Amino acid sequence: MPPSSRERHVAVVHDMSIFIFAGYDGVNRLNDFYEFNTDNDTWQEVIYSGSGQPPTPRHSACAIVYDGSMYVFGGYDGNCKSDLHRFNFETNTWS
């Protein structure tokens, strides 16, 4: 199932996939996380594990991939944020 239509999300590339996180759907800020596998042209929601929590629903953040993790910085969740979150692709955990 593909993600809902949105704007102001972040998109990064890791291995052979494109990852979409957060954004704004015209009504709500989001913090869902999707993977588009470019090998088989399929979408799937990324299910995270562990005790870490994803960032609050937000839009207008920025993100990079470095050393096997996605780093998400800032954005807007009703307030301007300056927090930093890490998603580890190997362990599927947020910190």
Side-chain angles (χ1 to χ4, degrees):
M1 175 72 88
S4 61
S5 297
R6 65 193 63 211
E7 59 185 39
R8 297 181 255 172
H9 57 279
V10 297
V12 298
V13 175
H14 176 68
D15 288 337
M16 297 301 297
S17 293
I18 300 168
F19 291 86
I20 304 295
F21 176 71
Y24 181 69
D25 68 5
V27 177
N28 298 302
R29 294 176 201 95
L30 309 168
N31 71 339
D32 52 0
F33 194 18
Y34 285 88
E35 174 185 6
F36 180 75
N37 184 305
T38 59
D39 282 337
N40 58 24
D41 294 336
T42 58
W43 285 101
Q44 69 177 9
E45 188 166 5
V46 176
I47 307 301
Y48 56 89
S49 60
S51 60
Q53 295 296 311
T56 56
R58 63 186 61 204
H59 61 71
S60 304
C62 59
I64 63 164
V65 171
Y66 176 75
D67 197 26
S69 293
M70 177 180 71
Y71 293 85
V72 177
F73 178 75
Y76 184 79
D77 71 353
N79 295 298
C80 291
K81 306 300 284 183
S82 60
D83 51 356
L84 179 67
H85 299 267
R86 175 184 177 210
F87 181 80
N88 184 304
F89 288 107
E90 185 176 327
T91 62
N92 277 6
T93 55
W94 284 100
S95 58

